[in-house]
Structure formats: structure tokens, C-alpha cells
Amino acid sequence: MNEALSDLGRSLRSWRLWTLLGWLEIRQRYARSRVGPFWLTISMGVIIASIGMVYGTLFGQKLSEYLPYLATSLVMWGMFTSTVQEGSNAFISNAAYIRQVSTPKFIYILQVPWRNLLILCHNIVIVVALLAIFGVKRWDTLPLVIPGLVLVVLNATWMATLSGLLSARFRDFPQIVAAIMQVAFYITPIMYKPEALTKYSFIVNLNPLAYLLNVVRQPVLGEVPSVRTWGVAIVMAVVGWIVALVMVHRYHKRIAYWV
């Protein structure tokens, strides 16, 4: 995996380039807009408020507990899925640069999680506002959000790498990723709590994305993630990055021909 590790190392050292590319993408997306990226915050806030009122009533939940749960779930899920889906087009959308300039390939991947982290910073305002309104249950669990977020980003990045590599070779793959993410949204406890699936608890227990969400969501809600939750998230990151690096090492030189 020397070639893949070398490419990753050179990409990390070129952090000024991929951070600039990610920032410019957001600026171009909201050019001439007075509100700018905060449109994302407004739309996410409206979605959380409307879904929270409806599903909170249907599930018989207290809004003081359900709204922070829903907000954290949707904000983190949005960052995760956007990273994976946008990673599908990371190489394809930068085909002109890849064909003409000899640059590390991971540069085009790393700008995707960076861009979505910037968007997360806008949307996290909603979670902070809800915690300010309904109160923080436990302050001592909040620092656990940082390592949890690191694990979510690491897992989303290796998935984006594999997705981008396979999408460059098979142009139908972005649609497959979008369909998988849509199905995963419904079987992952995002709008409902895990304990709601009494007869079908195996859906949550066997869903690795549920553990990935919990490493961030539970500390926000005043809970300490279990050892199993941390273990699943860490194993996913380690195994996923090994597979991603092996794939990049094997097909690194073919990317320019595929795009």
C-alpha cells in the first residue's frame, strides 16, 4: 500500500489546496445570496421543527427530549450521507484537473468531508439552540462528542473514497449509493428511538450506522456510549481504511483513464 499511503500523505500535506477547494465550492453554491450557507441552517431548522411536531406527537414523545434527539440525528446523518454521496462524484467532477495535472488523488476526496464539516458547523447551531432551550442533561459527556465526530468523519471519508473510485469506473454506482443511503435512512434510528422497535430490535443491533450515530448523539443527550458502540465504530474505521487504501493502491493509475 506504499503508493496509496504516499498519495494520502502528499494530500494531507497539501491541506491548503483541498480546504480552499471545499470553501470555494460552498461560496459558488451560494454566490449573490445575502443569507449564504445559512440557508442550510434555515431549511434544516424548518425540517426538524415540522418533523419533530408530527412524529413527536405520533410516537407520544416529550418534545423536550425528542427534538434534541431528532436534531442531532438529522444533522449528523446529513453530514455523513452528503460526504458519501458527494464522494461518488469526487473524481468525476474533477476529471479536467485529473487528466491535465499530476496531483495526489486524495485531494479530491478530502475536500468532500471538509466541505461537509463546514456545513455541519452551520447546522450545529440548531442543536446548540435546542440544548439552550431545553437544557443540557450532562456536561461531562459533551467532550465525548469530539472523538465521536472524528470517528464519523473517518468512516465517511473511507466510504467516500471507495464510492468515488467505483463511480469513476462504473457510472451507475452514484445512483446505487443514493438508493442505499435512502434505505439506510429508514432502517437507522433517526426519526425514531431504538427502543421503539421492540419486536425487530435486531434491525438496530445489526446496523453499523446506528452505532456510528450513537458515538456523537448519545454524548449530546447526556449518555455515555457503550464499549460495544465505540468498538464497532473503531473497527469500521480501521477495516474500512485498509480496504480503501488497498483499492486506491491497486487502481491509482487507472483513475485518469476512467474519468
Side-chain angles (χ1 to χ4, degrees):
M1 296 191 296
N2 290 337
E3 190 170 358
L5 289 172
S6 175
D7 187 285
L8 179 59
R10 286 183 292 132
S11 298
L12 291 173
R13 289 192 295 271
S14 303
W15 62 270
R16 292 181 180 86
L17 178 57
W18 51 265
T19 53
L20 178 62
L21 290 174
W23 178 250
L24 288 177
E25 173 66 23
I26 295 178
R27 291 193 61 181
Q28 291 174 359
R29 190 182 303 180
Y30 297 97
R32 297 184 181 181
S33 172
R34 293 185 179 274
V35 182
F38 281 101
W39 276 116
L40 297 169
T41 308
I42 296 172
S43 60
M44 179 63 73
V46 172
I47 292 173
I48 291 172
S50 56
I51 292 179
M53 294 294 181
V54 175
Y55 282 86
T57 303
L58 290 176
F59 296 149
Q61 299 286 327
K62 294 181 180 179
L63 292 183
S64 60
E65 297 179 358
Y66 183 68
L67 284 178
Y69 174 89
L70 179 66
T72 308
S73 302
L74 287 178
V75 168
M76 291 307 305
W77 181 258
M79 188 277 292
F80 174 78
T81 55
S82 295
T83 301
V84 177
Q85 291 184 22
E86 291 177 12
S88 301
N89 296 307
F91 295 130
I92 298 173
S93 59
N94 292 284
Y97 298 108
I98 294 174
R99 294 193 193 112
Q100 298 177 23
V101 184
S102 178
T103 55
K105 301 301 183 292
F106 267 105
I107 284 178
Y108 308 108
I109 295 294
L110 292 176
Q111 63 174 309
V112 177
W114 166 249
R115 182 168 63 244
N116 284 285
L117 275 175
L118 292 176
I119 295 173
L120 176 67
C121 292
H122 289 82
N123 289 335
I124 205 69
V125 173
I126 303 171
V127 179
V128 174
L130 289 173
L131 291 178
I133 294 172
F134 298 114
V136 178
K137 290 187 176 181
R138 290 179 59 182
W139 289 95
D140 59 324
T141 61
L142 290 180
L144 295 176
V145 171
I146 297 176
L149 181 60
V150 171
L151 284 173
V152 172
V153 173
L154 286 175
N155 279 285
T157 305
W158 73 255
M159 292 182 191
T161 303
L162 287 179
S163 179
L165 194 64
L166 292 172
S167 297
R169 178 63 180 87
F170 306 102
R171 294 305 172 91
D172 293 329
F173 199 75
Q175 285 71 34
I176 297 176
V177 172
I180 292 175
M181 289 295 103
Q182 186 68 35
V183 174
F185 176 80
Y186 293 108
I187 64 174
T188 304
I190 297 173
M191 293 190 298
Y192 58 89
K193 294 187 176 181
E195 53 267 22
L197 296 176
T198 53
K199 295 182 179 180
Y200 304 98
S201 58
F202 67 91
I203 295 178
V204 176
N205 296 331
L206 299 178
N207 186 353
L209 299 183
Y211 297 98
L212 204 57
L213 278 180
N214 279 336
V215 294
V216 175
R217 182 172 58 195
Q218 287 184 331
V220 172
L221 301 177
E223 303 173 11
V224 178
S226 64
V227 175
R228 181 179 181 181
T229 300
W230 288 111
V232 171
I234 293 172
V235 169
M236 283 178 61
V238 173
V239 175
W241 268 104
I242 291 175
V243 174
L245 289 172
V246 169
M247 293 291 288
V248 171
H249 171 75
R250 184 170 183 178
Y251 300 108
H252 181 270
K253 296 181 180 179
R254 302 185 188 182
I255 295 175
Y257 298 99
W258 288 346
V259 297

